Amino acid sequence: MAQKIIIDTDPGIDDAMAIAYAIAHPDIELLALTTIFGNVRTHEATRNALALLDHWGSDADVAEGEAQPFAMPANEPSYLVHGLNGFGGVEIPLSKREKHSLGAVDYIIDASKRHPGEIVLCAVGPATNIARLLERDPEIVSRLKGVVIMGGAVHCKGNVTPMAEANFWNDPHAADMVLAAAWPLVLAPLDCTMPVLFTPDFMQALAKESPAMGRPLADMAEFYARFYRSHLGLGGCVPHDVMAISWLTVPGAFRLQKGALGVLTDGPAIGQTIFQPGGTRSRTSAFEGRPDHLVMVDTDPSLFMADYMMVMTRYAC
């Protein structure tokens, strides 16, 4: 039976890579995309989500989410990284479909009641919708099969400040609330995303093997890779958001560590992920009452990339 998932997303080039994988994978049933600000503004994320689904033949719903962070002013979108349209200037035809009548939070609540214990929520943008979900319906923790969050930097440096990863930096209050909740949560931080590089050769091979999905993704990746080359000296781009989906399908590609998590919500280190390994204690009270979660702390790049290519090639068959 295919795994039912909802992706909470701010598309975004690496979001598009993750959405394509979810559509293509035979063991995934994509119920919906719920949208959030981050790489683009929320209304732009909704536009992009609808466009991608239509372009790739998916009838999954799109429900629009929050437009502002949980408890602070919004940062500017990441247009420098993803381009003004979120897709590095690559034009995906606009959808004629409308967004769902329910907002993102109500949509997830409704879906979890229709499919109790069956849905994994994969959040690959700022965690604002997920925090609002906990605020509105605390019992959601027992109705979701699992939650996978792409965000944070546990044992490595951040990517928007020396301490903070972009999703957690964009709404640290929401991220901290989500990590404090007692639900089956797996964190996919920069620790597991930065070891993987989609090189130009890999993306061109993807375009050849799976033209419908691979060609637009390869075109987007050219813009994305220019950012990584100019700012980090890397010869390709990092597919951060794919990890949150791949955890469900190829968990053997990741090394895990268990422990309690939090996020700093003020000061110069705002957005920093803090971590206390399971079975250890410290003199700080920051982790008191917090559950242990699984953290993806490393990735086997060869296995991850082989799986991605295989799944995407299957879509072309």
Side-chain angles (χ1 to χ4, degrees), residues 95-135:
S95 172
K96 295 181 180 179
R97 275 204 291 158
E98 295 291 329
K99 65 186 178 183
H100 200 275
S101 59
L102 293 177
V105 173
D106 288 329
Y107 183 95
I108 297 169
I109 291 171
D110 179 70
S112 72
K113 290 178 178 178
R114 287 186 285 112
H115 305 286
E118 297 182 32
I119 296 173
V120 176
L121 178 57
C122 300
V124 299
T128 316
N129 289 336
I130 319 305
R132 292 294 182 195
L133 181 63
L134 286 168
E135 181 184 57

Side-chain angles (χ1 to χ4, degrees), residues 242-267:
V242 182
M243 276 67 173
I245 316 299
S246 293
W247 162 249
L248 303 176
T249 57
V250 59
F254 306 103
R255 184 168 66 87
L256 301 174
Q257 192 173 5
K258 194 172 186 179
L261 293 151
V263 179
L264 301 185
T265 57
D266 57 23

